[in-house]
Amino acid sequence: MVEFLNDYLYPTLWIVAKIIAIVLPLMIAMAYLTYVERKVIGAIQMRRGPNVVGPFGLLQPLADGLKLFTKETIVPFGANRVVFIMAPCLTFILAMVAWAVIPFDEGMVLADINVGILYLFAISSLGVYGILMAGWASNSIYAFLGALRSAAQMVSYEVSMGFVIITVLLLAGSLNLTEIVLAQRKIWFVIPLLPMAVIFFISTLAETNRHPFDLPEAEAELVAGYNVEYSAMTFALFFLGEYMNMILMSGMTTVLFLGGWLPPFDVAPFNWIPGPVWLALKISAVLFVFLWVRASLPRYRYDQLMRLGWKVFLPVSLAAVVIVGGAVVAFDLRPGS
Amino acid sequence: MIVAALAFYLFAFVTVASAVMVISARNPVHSVLFLILAFFNSAGLFVLLGAEFLAMILVVVYVGAVAVLFMFVVMMLDINFVALRQGFLQYLPIGALIGLILLVELLVVVGGWSLAPGASLSVVAPRPLPDQVTNTHALGELIYTHYVYLFQAAGVVLLVAMIGAIVLTHRRRDNVRKQDIGAQLRRSTSSVELRKVETGKGL
């Protein structure tokens, strides 16, 4: 019995505790991201944004959550019930699961697996299913069109994202996220790979269906796209899943290009601040760009979106793989050799 | 060890069960969803084997790309389910034959594993040793050094297939209106007026 406790129960409890320690701050961050988004866009458009509920409107996310919680979940008559309910759950779960491999500090990671970056890439490529399933199960033309657009868009941009990740891997020499961050001790990869970082960031905008690539939910054409038929908590799961994905993609950008938990300079006042704080600051900075882009750019047309993905990003990132690979061999930059 | 065994049986059971559901589900979209579940659980089996790289690639390639295309096609098709069921008995013999051939080939592969002289040796003492290098390094070393020509040949075959697909489906269409981004960007700005708007004032 004691053996059972020592071998299985306590490790399991420890893992559960770690999961809660990751998920709880994430949930709060996600709720307040919706608030910050409204405030930032308000400031850019010279409005006040939410300011009624609580001081500075700080309780607005709670009020919104409560409202969505008390509403009625409606499943349309012609919908495929099981898939209809499964879709938002899948979207939300996938956005959470990916955090298992993100390192918050050296050794501060839930699962330090060897193929961490591939895991992240795999999970982010699964995000399309939630949307496809929602669009199909809703049995509505608008939702279906939104889902099809989304699927085509996400698959297209994943290709160039994959190539950009390869250029980072060439410099880091490992697929482990901790190793990738540690490889940026001398210089953050955003400096040698600046064009790749830009391509990666734009691709994450397309992956998360954010402005200016939010064609799956283009209000003017598709009402609300894939989530037209969703209400109450099922809608909330989609909505929050999108914000969670934004945080995740910002986290990915930070780990790959902005040196993860590392301070910008390894000198006195900077390295007093603990790693997780740096990570949070960097993620917030990237998230701010997400919001900034949303407030300042008009939506792309669908053919422009596809052109950018296939005719611009794909050749450029493919060429970058060759160039970076050549440079690594020519100047003997191979890490750990 | 017990946990690993339980995980194995779970993954194996779900894989087989969802594979059965792929061919027996009434709705083709459900079939594709079960196919995805089967892929997923196979990836889980790979992880249990210690083949983490293969597991992730399986998810990225098959679930993330191939199955999305399946789903795309199946969703777009307007399938009459009743008509689909009608020819079932007619096609049963040929389907059973193909299944049998596949089964025999699988058995031959498994048999070859124990019959071939080198194969059993590489099971006992795999080269690069699994506890010394990671999966990714080992695969890279094998593919890009020992089997580089075969790997390149496989790439060429895929390239030919891709070009073939493009040639077969591409047709030149007249009166297509295209946007020439370069021409638009070269346009002089005389038709547009740029104004510096003061913050808080508006035009």
Side-chain angles (χ1 to χ4, degrees):
Chain A
M1 192 63 203
V2 176
E3 214 171 277
F4 171 77
L5 284 180
N6 282 333
D7 286 358
Y8 294 112
L9 194 64
Y10 294 138
T12 313
L13 286 179
W14 177 228
I15 290 171
V16 169
K18 282 199 277 193
I19 291 173
I20 291 172
I22 293 174
V23 165
L24 214 59
L26 267 181
M27 290 284 203
I28 296 168
M30 176 182 74
Y32 274 89
L33 181 59
T34 64
Y35 167 80
V36 171
E37 173 168 45
R38 292 168 71 180
K39 274 287 188 196
V40 166
I41 293 177
I44 292 176
Q45 297 172 344
M46 293 192 305
R47 297 183 282 111
R48 285 178 193 281
N51 64 347
V52 178
V53 190
F56 306 106
L58 272 172
L59 296 178
Q60 186 70 42
L62 297 180
D64 285 346
L66 207 64
K67 186 195 89 175
L68 283 169
F69 197 71
T70 51
K71 278 189 158 187
E72 182 192 356
T73 303
I74 298 166
V75 181
F77 179 66
N80 193 315
R81 286 189 79 95
V82 180
V83 181
F84 187 81
I85 301 292
M86 224 159 77
C89 303
L90 187 74
T91 306
F92 193 71
I93 291 170
L94 284 175
M96 300 287 261
V97 160
W99 284 90
V101 295
I102 300 267
F104 295 92
D105 203 337
E106 195 161 359
M108 215 165 133
V109 51
L110 184 63
D112 196 15
I113 58 175
N114 278 329
V115 287
I117 187 67
L118 276 178
Y119 173 84
L120 272 186
F121 192 57
I123 295 292
S124 75
S125 72
L126 292 180
V128 67
Y129 283 110
I131 292 169
L132 261 181
M133 280 159 69
W136 178 78
S138 299
N139 203 5
S140 143
I141 299 293
Y142 290 126
F144 189 54
L145 281 174
L148 288 185
R149 279 182 176 192
S150 171
Q153 169 180 335
M154 288 169 92
V155 170
S156 307
Y157 279 83
E158 241 156 52
V159 183
S160 50
M161 252 173 97
F163 282 124
V164 172
I165 290 177
I166 290 176
T167 60
V168 173
L169 297 183
L170 281 171
L171 289 188
S174 172
L175 271 67
N176 180 309
L177 288 173
T178 306
E179 301 272 319
I180 290 175
V181 172
L182 288 178
Q184 303 181 52
R185 272 223 183 96
K186 274 186 203 140
I187 188 164
W188 294 358
F189 287 152
V190 69
I191 297 166
L193 293 175
L194 183 64
M196 293 299 100
V198 173
I199 288 181
F200 188 82
F201 178 72
I202 296 175
S203 301
T204 58
L205 287 179
E207 278 282 300
T208 48
N209 297 321
R210 290 286 298 179
H211 283 257
F213 306 118
D214 65 335
L215 289 134
E217 41 189 311
E219 295 91 351
E221 303 146 32
L222 298 179
V223 193
Y226 62 88
N227 58 26
V228 178
E229 304 290 342
Y230 284 86
S231 61
M233 279 321 277
T234 48
F235 169 74
L237 286 180
F238 266 126
F239 187 71
L240 297 176
E242 183 183 322
Y243 282 84
M244 193 62 114
N245 265 325
M246 277 166 68
I247 306 179
L248 174 70
M249 286 296 173
S250 308
M252 233 168 128
T253 313
T254 309
V255 168
L256 288 178
F257 292 104
L258 299 175
W261 69 82
L262 297 173
F265 307 102
D266 201 9
V267 289
F270 291 111
N271 55 19
W272 288 343
I273 300 171
V277 177
W278 277 119
L279 187 74
L281 279 176
K282 288 171 186 174
I283 290 179
S284 312
V286 179
L287 279 173
F288 176 74
V289 184
F290 264 87
L291 308 181
W292 187 11
V293 165
R294 171 168 177 190
S296 41
L297 289 182
R299 183 176 295 135
Y300 260 52
R301 224 172 45 214
Y302 198 68
D303 60 312
Q304 291 172 329
L305 169 94
M306 282 298 164
R307 177 184 166 276
L308 184 69
W310 289 106
K311 292 192 179 170
V312 181
F313 283 179
L314 183 60
V316 169
S317 52
L318 193 56
V321 171
V322 177
I323 293 169
V324 173
V328 166
V329 175
F331 302 115
D332 206 23
L333 300 169
R334 258 176 306 167
S337 71
Chain B
M1 257 0 256
I2 298 170
V3 177
L6 280 178
F8 169 77
Y9 284 117
L10 179 74
F11 285 138
F13 175 76
V14 178
T15 307
V16 174
S18 50
V20 170
M21 287 306 289
V22 171
I23 50 173
S24 62
R26 279 179 179 279
N27 192 328
V29 174
H30 291 172
S31 286
V32 177
L33 289 175
F34 277 115
L35 184 67
I36 293 162
L37 190 62
F39 282 147
F40 240 118
N41 286 281
S42 325
L45 288 175
F46 271 129
V47 170
L48 286 184
L49 276 175
E52 47 196 17
F53 184 79
L54 279 182
M56 293 303 149
I57 290 295
L58 184 74
V59 175
V60 170
V61 174
Y62 281 90
V63 184
V66 174
V68 172
L69 291 181
F70 280 2
M71 195 106 156
F72 225 89
V73 172
V74 165
M75 279 180 175
M76 304 262 273
L77 289 177
D78 188 20
I79 300 172
N80 185 351
F81 299 119
V82 183
L84 205 68
R85 296 270 150 198
Q86 268 169 3
F88 183 68
L89 276 179
Q90 195 185 338
Y91 294 119
L92 188 64
I94 207 159
L97 188 69
I98 293 174
L100 196 70
I101 292 172
L102 280 176
L103 184 68
V104 169
E105 285 189 339
L106 271 176
L107 288 178
V108 169
V109 169
V110 173
W113 198 257
S114 55
L115 289 178
S120 53
L121 197 71
S122 68
V123 174
V124 182
R127 187 182 50 121
L129 286 170
D131 52 342
Q132 284 172 9
V133 287
T134 63
N135 258 269
T136 323
H137 276 136
L139 273 175
E141 202 185 308
L142 281 179
I143 291 176
Y144 292 106
T145 55
H146 296 286
Y147 298 112
V148 64
Y149 294 117
L150 289 174
F151 179 68
Q152 291 292 340
V156 170
V157 169
L158 282 178
L159 182 68
V160 169
M162 192 174 87
I163 293 171
I166 293 171
V167 167
L168 284 176
T169 54
H170 184 74
R171 59 197 160 93
R172 191 165 291 285
R173 282 180 300 169
D174 297 329
N175 61 48
V176 179
R177 286 200 251 173
K178 269 191 188 155
Q179 185 181 23
D180 187 352
I181 303 255
Q184 285 182 335
L185 291 178
R186 276 195 306 275
R187 213 173 63 146
S188 71
T189 50
S190 59
S191 56
V192 188
E193 192 185 352
L194 276 179
R195 286 213 200 163
K196 185 80 189 157
V197 181
E198 219 175 298
T199 309
K201 289 273 173 61
L203 270 179

